[in-house]
Amino acid sequence: MKVLSIVGARPQFVKLAPIDHAFRAAGVEHVIVHTGQHYDERMSGEFFRELDIAEPDVNLEIGSAGHGAQTGAMLARMDDVILEHRPDWVLVYGDTNSTLAGAVSAAKLQVPLAHLEAGLRSFNRAMPEEHNRVLTDHAADLLLAPTEQAMAHLATEGLAERSVLVGDVMTDVLTGIKRRIDSGELEIPDLGVTPGEYHVSTIHRAENTDDPERLRAIVEGLQGLERPVVLLAHPRLVQRCADFGIVLEQGSVRVHEPLPYGRLVAAAAGAHSVITDSGGLQKEAFLLRVPCVTVRTETEWVETVELGWNVLASDPRTIAWALASLDPQPTDATPYGDGRAAQRVVEALSR
Ligand code: UD1
């Protein structure tokens, strides 16, 4: 079997890692196409090395642009790549513009398309990620869902017959890293703050960064917290703050470059709590049993909220209140699977 994976953005490299490892173990021929959506070393190359992912076979080097232009540029180049490699499956990941471009290209070429992390919904149609995931699910021949909830969404949309519950592949990766933290092999990084007494924060979503008033309220909310906030700043956040004349490093905020994945997870593991708008980090916080405040009006990872480990601060002025309201209770619940999702992906593709 030959599978062509299409990735382009940071969280997709994390999802790709366990899949690449499982494909290698099963003797699956794996072609990796990197669209170049993320290109900075710390947003891309570092992840491939750290997570032991094979070098991409193809890099389209598309880079940054508006949503339509970026997606279109990928699409224009993708057909030739898929036709050259003639895979049994095209596999796309998550909900970025790279996901949608890969999905449309495979669908138009009538090459079987599988979508990993299918069925997630925020029901917020203003989010670019929501368009990408809905359109990709409806184009795909095989929907690889991470949770029961995702399976239910797919059934509601008439896609049950094409759906398989495999679990969450990011949990596969996290399980391995957590083991390394617990054994002391991976240490909590020294961020110049007292262990257990700091917040780890990431803010990068368009709905938070591109509206100056909302962005200012988020930054002020973080700056006004009692504990220090280690803000791992995505390039989009830094750029928008500069555009809008917002000074980031004031009050409690300590600006830090994005960390390599293992160190990010270890930093979160050592934190008092996490404040984020990232989907992955909400889930990682839960798996590490670190409380989380999510600066969004909704979340796709509803289980983290239902189990009491995540609170939404829809209005950024309520970040401090949301933090104070967190009172998570110990739980053995495993809504994201058993850390063996990638193996089930291999089985589903081989059927
Ligand atoms: C993308 C995904 C988002 C995902 C996020 C993870 C879409 C629609 N969004 O958002 O779902 O959560 O990746 O990080 O696909 N930039 C750099 N260096 C890079 C990449 C980007 O400086 O390597 C800057 C550029 O100024 C660029 C901006 O960041 O314009 C935004 O990058 P882009 O890929 O458009 O979207 P993300 O915000 O990263």
Side-chain angles (χ1 to χ4, degrees), residues 6-19 34-35 37-39 42-45 47-48 51 53 92-99 116-117 120 129 132-133 168-171 173-174 202 204-205 234-235 258-261 264 277-284 301:
I6 297 171
V7 292
R10 196 167 51 164
Q12 294 173 318
F13 309 142
V14 181
K15 293 165 200 170
L16 173 64
I19 296 290
H34 189 321
T35 62
Q37 178 171 349
H38 286 174
Y39 42 86
R42 65 181 193 283
M43 302 283 285
S44 175
F47 280 74
F48 277 76
L51 296 168
I53 308 167
V92 293
Y93 300 67
D95 55 20
T96 74
N97 292 341
S98 300
T99 314
L116 184 68
E117 214 177 67
L120 292 184
E129 291 83 2
N132 290 342
R133 58 171 86 98
D168 171 49
V169 288
M170 286 181 107
T171 298
V173 184
L174 201 278
T202 72
H204 77 281
R205 282 194 188 274
H234 183 288
L259 288 170
Y261 190 66
L264 162 72
D277 62 3
S278 148
L281 193 50
Q282 287 170 53
K283 190 160 27 91
E284 281 140 11
W301 304 105

Side-chain angles (χ1 to χ4, degrees), residues 115-121 123 133 137-138 141-168 300-303 335-337 344-345 348 351:
H115 182 205
L116 184 68
E117 214 177 67
L120 292 184
R121 296 290 180 267
F123 301 103
R133 58 171 86 98
D137 280 343
H138 284 259
D141 303 286
L142 177 62
L143 297 161
L144 302 160
T147 61
E148 296 280 2
Q149 178 82 64
M151 289 292 281
H153 291 148
L154 294 169
T156 305
E157 294 174 29
L159 301 172
E161 277 181 15
R162 293 184 245 162
S163 306
V164 181
L165 178 62
V166 290
D168 171 49
E300 297 79 11
W301 304 105
V302 289
E303 302 81 3
Y336 303 118
R344 286 190 205 95
V345 171
R351 261 177 223 146

Side-chain angles (χ1 to χ4, degrees), residues 142-221:
L142 177 62
L143 297 161
L144 302 160
T147 61
E148 296 280 2
Q149 178 82 64
M151 289 292 281
H153 291 148
L154 294 169
T156 305
E157 294 174 29
L159 301 172
E161 277 181 15
R162 293 184 245 162
S163 306
V164 181
L165 178 62
V166 290
D168 171 49
V169 288
M170 286 181 107
T171 298
D172 296 14
V173 184
L174 201 278
T175 306
I177 294 181
K178 189 167 183 304
R179 218 175 288 131
R180 287 172 54 211
I181 295 172
D182 291 345
S183 72
E185 184 198 332
L186 181 61
E187 288 179 9
I188 310 293
D190 182 4
L191 298 162
V193 284
T194 312
E197 285 302 322
Y198 63 94
H199 309 287
V200 163
S201 183
T202 72
I203 299 291
H204 77 281
R205 282 194 188 274
E207 64 264 32
N208 282 334
T209 57
D210 294 4
D211 172 352
E213 227 171 275
R214 187 168 170 90
L215 181 57
R216 197 176 293 279
I218 294 171
V219 171
E220 285 173 1

